[in-house]
Amino acid sequence: MSIAAPSTPTHHLPPMHASERWLLRACLLLPLAALVLFFGVPMLAIAWRSLVQDTGGIGWGNYAALLDTPGVWRALANSLLLGAVTTAVTLLLAFVVAFGLERTGMPGRRFVAGALALPMLAPSLVLGLGLGLIFLLGRNGIVGKMLGVRPEIYGFWGLLIADVLYALPQAVLIVRTALRQGDARQYDAAEVLGATPWRQFCDITLPQARYGLLSAGFVVFTITITDFGNAVVIGGNFAVLATEIYNQVSGQMKFGMGAVVGMLLLAPAALSVFIERMAAQRAGAGAESALPPTPAHSPGRDAAFFIACMGIAGSIVALVLTVVVASFIRLWPYRLDLTLKHYDITIAGGYAPLWTSVWVSALAASVGTVMLFVLCFGIRRLPGRLAQAATALSALPVGVPGLVLGLAYVFTFNTATWPWGMLYGTAILLALCNYYHYHTQGFMTMMTGMRNVPTTLEDATTVLGGSTARVLRDVYLPALLPTLLAVLVFLFMRSMVTLSAVIFLITPSLPMGAVTVMRLDEAGLTSQAAAFSTCIMAVVGSLALLLHLGTQRRKPGSKPA
């Protein structure tokens, strides 16, 4: 997904009353002030905390201590290596899947698209826990039992597989978008000139998709080097920066060093986001009159892509399905009789963390959707320097890893000297952290949805004396309802499954579901972790299904489900 905010149509509105102009300014200023307080200030706090030494002085001592901490540099090297290899493998697989979905007539495309949505429904550690890879490829996994071997899945190779499968859906989404922007007339001209299909692929398809591939590459790289869930449960002795931050803060209570490692982790992520944004801006200059290519039927090619895509999609389904099945197995893989005992969660609190996650996620989704709608409405209706500043600041959170943002919240809100310290340890702060962690993606979606607002109807309502409230009710809400629902569900889903952003913010009285899955696995209760993950996926999947059915009913000519 590109992080460059989509532009909205500019149009001239009649003069407004002073009260309505102040209302529009409030639509910009209030969300912008909240963005500064709950994102800008925490980023400054973690930068400042990295300069505070253990002795209480201010200086570069924590940064200098990095020279005497070989573990950090080893983790950095491991993160960069893992990120580079994961990016290369993921881009190759993503292009195969995206090309199969967009440029071939292979069967089974709905199944492949549905399988790619599964990682979005599950916590990231589900693909790397005794859930998924360990149940299948672990020392006592089903594959090892069938082949009579004891594979070693912990470490680099396990992380590589888990990260590839988790990042693949987002990469496919970006590459598919790039392939949709092709122009069929170029292929027609090339065919008339006698170009072979391979020559057309090299001279037309790849150049058209290069910016999409570059954008997807930097997104995958950022996801990989900032991932915490997979690394903490399947990384083994292969340390990465995300786990190094966790060890410095939770294990050794070195908050200054944790902040320094956070800044170190922030640098490559921010650089990749910056380069990706430049690529996205250059890619946005395509022809609006382009005719999307229509895939021609080719039995050999379609069969090859069908086998490849079904193999990739089947791997994802197998991992997630194994987690669900294992949650009902008495003792995997020795006693395969069915039981519900693993759903009797024995960890303190039982299912309380699940309901806390539902409550926090609902709060993050509802508050976030309203804030994004108000912000984007203000940007569209009152363009200017303030709107430009809001747009620029809204693009920044995407480059901040969840682990860094959560640690920054600890430094900012765990205080008794500032009024906002009363938020620490509350569900409100957890919801705000989750919202601003995914603020950029929601902002982009909302701004894109603004394109569906009929400009002529908006202008006509204003000219006829309609107030801002009337324009909102009669023009914006009907046109943006599908977008509002999409943003609402997206924020809820991501808040339910995120781990890194909340790992430092939970308290004994305020646990979260994704963290509970990690705690269960750490306690050796892997089957209970699978059961808890299944419950999380059931909640998130049910909401996604309801959104799908609701949007299908709203489409013209659609039949009731």
Coordinates of all heavy atoms in Angstrom, one line a residue, residues 415-483:
T415 N 3.7 9.2 33.8 CA 4.2 10.4 34.6 C 3.1 10.9 35.5 O 1.9 10.8 35.2 CB 4.7 11.5 33.6 OG1 5.1 12.6 34.4 CG2 3.6 11.9 32.6
A416 N 3.5 11.5 36.6 CA 2.6 12.2 37.5 C 2.7 13.7 37.4 O 1.9 14.4 38.1 CB 2.8 11.7 38.9
T417 N 3.6 14.2 36.6 CA 3.8 15.6 36.5 C 3.0 16.3 35.4 O 3.0 17.5 35.3 CB 5.3 15.9 36.4 OG1 5.8 15.3 35.2 CG2 6.0 15.4 37.6
W418 N 2.4 15.5 34.5 CA 1.7 16.1 33.4 C 0.3 15.6 33.4 O 0.0 14.5 33.9 CB 2.3 15.7 32.0 CG 3.7 16.3 31.8 CD1 4.8 15.7 32.1 CD2 3.9 17.6 31.3 NE1 5.9 16.5 31.8 CE2 5.4 17.7 31.2 CE3 3.2 18.6 30.8 CZ2 6.0 18.8 30.8 CZ3 3.8 19.7 30.3 CH2 5.2 19.8 30.3
P419 N -0.7 16.4 33.0 CA -2.1 16.0 33.2 C -2.5 14.7 32.4 O -3.4 14.0 32.8 CB -2.9 17.2 32.7 CG -1.9 18.0 31.9 CD -0.6 17.8 32.5
W420 N -1.8 14.5 31.3 CA -2.1 13.3 30.5 C -1.6 12.0 31.1 O -1.9 10.9 30.6 CB -1.7 13.4 29.0 CG -0.2 13.7 28.9 CD1 0.9 12.9 29.2 CD2 0.4 15.0 28.4 NE1 2.0 13.5 28.9 CE2 1.8 14.8 28.4 CE3 -0.1 16.2 27.9 CZ2 2.7 15.8 28.0 CZ3 0.7 17.2 27.5 CH2 2.1 17.0 27.6
G421 N -0.9 12.1 32.2 CA -0.4 10.9 32.9 C -1.6 10.1 33.5 O -1.4 8.9 33.7
M422 N -2.7 10.7 33.6 CA -3.9 9.9 34.1 C -4.4 8.9 33.1 O -5.1 8.0 33.5 CB -5.0 10.9 34.5 CG -5.6 11.6 33.3 SD -7.0 12.8 33.8 CE -6.1 14.0 34.8
L423 N -3.9 9.0 31.9 CA -4.4 8.0 30.9 C -3.6 6.7 31.0 O -4.0 5.7 30.4 CB -4.1 8.6 29.5 CG -5.0 9.8 29.0 CD1 -4.6 10.3 27.7 CD2 -6.5 9.3 29.0
Y424 N -2.4 6.8 31.6 CA -1.6 5.6 31.7 C -2.3 4.4 32.4 O -2.8 4.6 33.5 CB -0.2 5.9 32.4 CG 0.8 4.8 32.1 CD1 1.4 4.7 30.9 CD2 1.1 3.9 33.2 CE1 2.4 3.7 30.7 CE2 2.0 2.9 33.0 CZ 2.7 2.8 31.8 OH 3.6 1.8 31.5
G425 N -2.2 3.3 31.8 CA -2.9 2.1 32.4 C -4.3 2.0 32.1 O -5.0 1.2 32.8
T426 N -4.9 2.8 31.2 CA -6.3 2.8 30.9 C -6.5 2.2 29.5 O -5.6 2.2 28.6 CB -6.9 4.2 30.9 OG1 -6.3 5.0 29.9 CG2 -6.6 4.8 32.3
A427 N -7.7 1.7 29.2 CA -8.1 1.2 27.9 C -8.1 2.3 26.9 O -7.8 2.0 25.7 CB -9.5 0.6 28.0
I428 N -8.3 3.5 27.3 CA -8.3 4.7 26.3 C -6.9 4.8 25.7 O -6.8 5.0 24.5 CB -8.7 6.0 27.0 CG1 -10.2 5.9 27.5 CG2 -8.5 7.2 26.1 CD1 -10.6 7.1 28.3
L429 N -5.9 4.7 26.5 CA -4.5 4.9 26.0 C -4.2 3.7 25.1 O -3.5 3.9 24.0 CB -3.5 4.9 27.1 CG -2.1 5.4 26.7 CD1 -2.1 6.8 26.1 CD2 -1.1 5.3 27.9
L430 N -4.5 2.5 25.4 CA -4.3 1.3 24.6 C -5.0 1.5 23.2 O -4.4 1.3 22.2 CB -4.8 0.1 25.2 CG -3.9 -0.6 26.3 CD1 -4.7 -1.7 27.0 CD2 -2.6 -1.1 25.7
A431 N -6.3 2.0 23.3 CA -7.0 2.3 22.0 C -6.3 3.3 21.2 O -6.2 3.2 19.9 CB -8.4 2.7 22.4
L432 N -5.9 4.4 21.8 CA -5.2 5.5 21.1 C -3.9 5.0 20.5 O -3.6 5.4 19.3 CB -5.0 6.7 22.0 CG -6.2 7.4 22.4 CD1 -5.9 8.5 23.5 CD2 -6.9 8.1 21.2
C433 N -3.2 4.2 21.2 CA -1.9 3.6 20.7 C -2.2 2.8 19.4 O -1.5 2.9 18.4 CB -1.2 2.8 21.7 SG 0.4 2.2 21.2
N434 N -3.2 1.9 19.5 CA -3.5 1.1 18.3 C -4.0 1.9 17.2 O -3.6 1.6 16.0 CB -4.6 0.1 18.7 CG -4.0 -1.1 19.6 OD1 -2.9 -1.4 19.4 ND2 -4.9 -1.7 20.4
Y435 N -4.8 2.9 17.5 CA -5.3 3.8 16.4 C -4.2 4.5 15.7 O -4.1 4.5 14.4 CB -6.3 4.8 16.9 CG -6.6 6.0 16.1 CD1 -6.9 5.8 14.7 CD2 -6.5 7.3 16.5 CE1 -7.1 6.9 13.9 CE2 -6.7 8.4 15.7 CZ -7.1 8.2 14.4 OH -7.3 9.3 13.6
Y436 N -3.3 5.1 16.4 CA -2.2 5.9 15.8 C -1.1 5.0 15.2 O -0.4 5.4 14.3 CB -1.6 6.9 16.8 CG -2.5 8.1 17.0 CD1 -3.3 8.2 18.1 CD2 -2.7 9.0 16.0 CE1 -4.1 9.3 18.3 CE2 -3.5 10.1 16.1 CZ -4.3 10.2 17.3 OH -5.1 11.3 17.4
H437 N -1.1 3.8 15.6 CA -0.2 2.8 15.0 C -0.6 2.6 13.5 O 0.3 2.4 12.6 CB -0.2 1.5 15.8 CG 0.8 0.5 15.2 ND1 0.6 -0.9 15.5 CD2 1.9 0.6 14.5 CE1 1.6 -1.5 14.9 NE2 2.4 -0.7 14.3
Y438 N -1.9 2.6 13.3 CA -2.4 2.3 11.9 C -3.1 3.6 11.3 O -3.9 3.4 10.4 CB -3.4 1.1 11.9 CG -2.7 -0.1 12.3 CD1 -2.9 -0.7 13.6 CD2 -1.9 -0.8 11.5 CE1 -2.2 -1.8 14.0 CE2 -1.2 -2.0 11.8 CZ -1.4 -2.5 13.1 OH -0.8 -3.7 13.5
H439 N -2.7 4.7 11.9 CA -3.4 6.0 11.4 C -3.2 6.2 9.9 O -4.1 6.6 9.2 CB -2.8 7.1 12.2 CG -3.4 8.5 11.9 ND1 -2.9 9.2 10.8 CD2 -4.4 9.2 12.4 CE1 -3.6 10.3 10.8 NE2 -4.5 10.3 11.7
T440 N -2.0 6.0 9.4 CA -1.7 6.4 8.0 C -2.6 5.5 7.1 O -3.1 6.1 6.1 CB -0.2 6.2 7.7 OG1 0.5 7.0 8.6 CG2 0.1 6.6 6.3
Q441 N -2.7 4.2 7.3 CA -3.5 3.4 6.4 C -4.9 3.8 6.4 O -5.6 3.9 5.4 CB -3.3 1.9 6.8 CG -1.9 1.4 6.7 CD -1.1 1.5 7.9 OE1 -1.2 2.5 8.7 NE2 -0.3 0.5 8.2
G442 N -5.5 4.1 7.6 CA -6.8 4.6 7.7 C -7.0 5.9 7.0 O -8.0 6.2 6.3
F443 N -6.1 6.8 7.2 CA -6.1 8.1 6.6 C -6.1 8.0 5.1 O -6.9 8.7 4.4 CB -4.9 9.0 7.0 CG -4.8 10.3 6.4 CD1 -5.6 11.4 6.7 CD2 -3.9 10.5 5.4 CE1 -5.5 12.6 6.1 CE2 -3.8 11.7 4.7 CZ -4.6 12.8 5.1
M444 N -5.3 7.2 4.5 CA -5.2 7.0 3.1 C -6.5 6.5 2.5 O -7.0 6.9 1.5 CB -4.1 6.1 2.7 CG -2.7 6.7 2.9 SD -1.5 5.4 2.6 CE -2.0 4.7 1.1
T445 N -7.1 5.5 3.2 CA -8.3 4.9 2.8 C -9.5 5.9 2.8 O -10.3 6.0 1.9 CB -8.7 3.7 3.7 OG1 -7.6 2.8 3.7 CG2 -10.0 3.0 3.2
M446 N -9.5 6.7 3.8 CA -10.5 7.8 3.9 C -10.4 8.8 2.9 O -11.4 9.3 2.2 CB -10.5 8.4 5.3 CG -11.7 9.2 5.7 SD -13.2 8.2 5.9 CE -12.9 7.5 7.5
M447 N -9.1 9.2 2.6 CA -8.9 10.2 1.6 C -9.3 9.7 0.2 O -9.8 10.4 -0.7 CB -7.5 10.7 1.6 CG -7.1 11.6 2.8 SD -8.0 13.2 2.8 CE -7.2 14.0 1.5
T448 N -9.0 8.4 0.0 CA -9.4 7.8 -1.3 C -10.9 7.8 -1.4 O -11.4 8.0 -2.5 CB -8.8 6.4 -1.4 OG1 -7.4 6.4 -1.3 CG2 -9.1 5.7 -2.7
G449 N -11.6 7.5 -0.4 CA -13.0 7.4 -0.4 C -13.6 8.8 -0.7 O -14.7 8.9 -1.2
M450 N -12.9 9.9 -0.4 CA -13.4 11.2 -0.7 C -13.6 11.4 -2.2 O -14.4 12.3 -2.6 CB -12.4 12.3 -0.2 CG -12.4 12.4 1.3 SD -13.9 13.2 2.0 CE -13.6 13.1 3.7
R451 N -12.9 10.6 -3.0 CA -13.1 10.7 -4.5 C -14.5 10.3 -4.9 O -15.0 10.7 -5.9 CB -12.1 9.8 -5.2 CG -10.7 10.2 -5.0 CD -9.8 9.2 -5.7 NE -8.3 9.6 -5.6 CZ -7.3 8.9 -6.0 NH1 -7.6 7.7 -6.5 NH2 -6.1 9.3 -5.9
N452 N -15.2 9.5 -4.0 CA -16.6 9.1 -4.4 C -17.6 10.1 -4.0 O -18.8 9.9 -4.3 CB -16.9 7.8 -3.6 CG -16.0 6.6 -4.1 OD1 -15.6 6.6 -5.3 ND2 -15.6 5.8 -3.2
V453 N -17.2 11.2 -3.4 CA -18.2 12.2 -3.0 C -18.5 13.1 -4.3 O -17.6 13.7 -4.8 CB -17.7 13.1 -1.9 CG1 -18.7 14.2 -1.6 CG2 -17.4 12.3 -0.6
P454 N -19.7 13.1 -4.7 CA -20.1 13.9 -5.9 C -19.8 15.4 -5.7 O -20.5 16.0 -4.9 CB -21.5 13.6 -6.2 CG -21.9 12.4 -5.3 CD -20.9 12.5 -4.2
T455 N -18.9 16.0 -6.4 CA -18.5 17.4 -6.3 C -19.7 18.3 -6.6 O -19.9 19.3 -6.0 CB -17.3 17.7 -7.1 OG1 -16.2 16.8 -6.7 CG2 -16.8 19.1 -6.9
T456 N -20.4 17.9 -7.7 CA -21.5 18.8 -8.2 C -22.6 18.8 -7.2 O -23.2 19.8 -6.9 CB -22.0 18.2 -9.5 OG1 -22.3 16.8 -9.4 CG2 -21.0 18.4 -10.6
L457 N -22.9 17.6 -6.5 CA -24.0 17.6 -5.5 C -23.5 18.4 -4.3 O -24.4 19.1 -3.7 CB -24.3 16.2 -5.2 CG -25.4 15.9 -4.1 CD1 -26.7 16.5 -4.6 CD2 -25.5 14.4 -3.8
E458 N -22.3 18.3 -3.9 CA -21.8 19.1 -2.8 C -21.9 20.6 -3.0 O -22.4 21.3 -2.2 CB -20.3 18.7 -2.5 CG -19.6 19.4 -1.4 CD -18.2 19.1 -1.3 OE1 -17.7 18.2 -2.1 OE2 -17.5 19.6 -0.4
D459 N -21.5 21.0 -4.2 CA -21.5 22.4 -4.6 C -23.0 22.9 -4.6 O -23.3 24.0 -4.2 CB -20.8 22.7 -5.9 CG -19.3 22.5 -5.8 OD1 -18.8 22.4 -4.7 OD2 -18.7 22.4 -6.9
A460 N -23.9 22.1 -5.2 CA -25.3 22.4 -5.3 C -25.9 22.6 -4.0 O -26.7 23.6 -3.7 CB -26.0 21.4 -6.2
T461 N -25.6 21.7 -3.1 CA -26.2 21.8 -1.7 C -25.7 23.1 -1.0 O -26.5 23.7 -0.3 CB -25.8 20.6 -0.9 OG1 -26.2 19.4 -1.6 CG2 -26.4 20.6 0.5
T462 N -24.4 23.4 -1.2 CA -23.9 24.6 -0.6 C -24.5 25.9 -1.2 O -24.9 26.8 -0.5 CB -22.4 24.7 -0.7 OG1 -21.8 23.5 -0.2 CG2 -21.8 25.9 0.0
V463 N -24.6 25.9 -2.5 CA -25.2 27.1 -3.2 C -26.7 27.3 -2.8 O -27.1 28.5 -2.7 CB -25.1 26.9 -4.7 CG1 -25.9 27.9 -5.5 CG2 -23.6 26.9 -5.2
L464 N -27.4 26.2 -2.6 CA -28.8 26.4 -2.2 C -29.0 26.7 -0.7 O -30.1 26.7 -0.2 CB -29.5 25.1 -2.5 CG -29.7 24.7 -4.0 CD1 -30.3 23.4 -4.2 CD2 -30.5 25.8 -4.7
G465 N -27.9 27.0 0.0 CA -28.0 27.4 1.4 C -27.8 26.3 2.4 O -28.1 26.6 3.6
G466 N -27.4 25.1 1.9 CA -27.2 24.1 2.9 C -26.1 24.3 3.8 O -25.0 24.7 3.4
S467 N -26.3 24.1 5.1 CA -25.2 24.2 6.1 C -24.2 23.1 6.0 O -24.4 22.1 5.2 CB -25.8 24.3 7.5 OG -26.4 23.0 7.8
T468 N -23.1 23.3 6.7 CA -22.1 22.2 6.7 C -22.7 20.9 7.3 O -22.3 19.8 6.7 CB -20.9 22.7 7.6 OG1 -20.3 23.9 7.1 CG2 -19.8 21.6 7.6
A469 N -23.5 21.0 8.2 CA -24.2 19.8 8.8 C -25.0 19.1 7.7 O -25.1 17.9 7.6 CB -25.0 20.2 10.0
R470 N -25.7 19.9 6.9 CA -26.6 19.4 5.8 C -25.7 18.7 4.8 O -26.1 17.6 4.3 CB -27.4 20.5 5.2 CG -28.4 20.0 4.2 CD -29.6 19.3 4.9 NE -30.6 18.9 3.9 CZ -31.6 19.6 3.6 NH1 -31.8 20.8 4.2 NH2 -32.5 19.1 2.7
V471 N -24.6 19.3 4.4 CA -23.7 18.7 3.5 C -23.1 17.4 4.0 O -23.0 16.4 3.3 CB -22.5 19.7 3.1 CG1 -21.4 19.0 2.3 CG2 -23.0 20.9 2.4
L472 N -22.8 17.4 5.3 CA -22.3 16.1 5.9 C -23.4 15.0 5.8 O -23.1 13.9 5.5 CB -21.9 16.4 7.3 CG -20.5 16.9 7.6 CD1 -20.4 17.3 9.1 CD2 -19.4 15.9 7.2
R473 N -24.6 15.4 6.2 CA -25.7 14.4 6.3 C -26.1 13.9 5.0 O -26.3 12.7 4.8 CB -26.8 15.0 7.1 CG -28.0 14.0 7.4 CD -29.2 14.7 7.9 NE -29.8 15.5 6.9 CZ -30.8 16.4 7.1 NH1 -31.3 16.5 8.4 NH2 -31.3 17.1 6.1
D474 N -26.3 14.8 4.0 CA -27.0 14.4 2.7 C -26.0 14.1 1.6 O -26.4 13.5 0.6 CB -27.9 15.6 2.3 CG -29.0 15.8 3.2 OD1 -29.3 14.9 4.0 OD2 -29.6 16.9 3.1
V475 N -24.7 14.5 1.7 CA -23.8 14.3 0.7 C -22.6 13.3 1.1 O -22.4 12.3 0.5 CB -23.2 15.6 0.2 CG1 -22.2 15.4 -1.0 CG2 -24.3 16.5 -0.3
Y476 N -21.9 13.7 2.2 CA -20.7 12.9 2.5 C -21.1 11.6 3.1 O -20.4 10.6 2.7 CB -19.9 13.7 3.5 CG -19.0 14.7 2.8 CD1 -19.5 16.0 2.4 CD2 -17.7 14.4 2.5 CE1 -18.6 16.9 1.7 CE2 -16.8 15.3 1.9 CZ -17.3 16.5 1.5 OH -16.5 17.4 0.8
L477 N -22.0 11.5 4.1 CA -22.2 10.2 4.7 C -22.7 9.2 3.8 O -22.3 8.0 3.8 CB -23.2 10.4 5.9 CG -22.6 11.1 7.2 CD1 -23.7 11.2 8.2 CD2 -21.5 10.3 7.7
P478 N -23.7 9.5 2.9 CA -24.2 8.4 1.9 C -23.0 7.9 1.0 O -22.9 6.8 0.7 CB -25.3 9.1 1.2 CG -25.8 10.2 2.1 CD -24.6 10.7 2.8
A479 N -22.2 8.9 0.5 CA -21.2 8.5 -0.4 C -20.0 7.8 0.3 O -19.4 6.9 -0.3 CB -20.6 9.8 -1.1
L480 N -19.8 8.1 1.5 CA -18.6 7.5 2.3 C -19.0 6.4 3.2 O -18.1 5.9 3.8 CB -17.9 8.6 3.1 CG -17.1 9.6 2.4 CD1 -16.6 10.7 3.3 CD2 -15.9 9.0 1.7
L481 N -20.2 6.0 3.2 CA -20.6 4.9 4.1 C -19.8 3.6 3.9 O -19.3 3.0 4.9 CB -22.1 4.6 4.0 CG -22.6 3.6 5.0 CD1 -22.4 4.0 6.4 CD2 -24.1 3.3 4.7
P482 N -19.6 3.1 2.7 CA -18.7 1.9 2.5 C -17.3 2.2 3.0 O -16.7 1.3 3.6 CB -18.7 1.7 1.0 CG -20.0 2.3 0.5 CD -20.2 3.5 1.4
T483 N -16.7 3.3 2.8 CA -15.4 3.7 3.2 C -15.3 3.7 4.7 O -14.4 3.2 5.4 CB -14.9 5.0 2.6 OG1 -14.9 4.9 1.2 CG2 -13.5 5.3 3.1

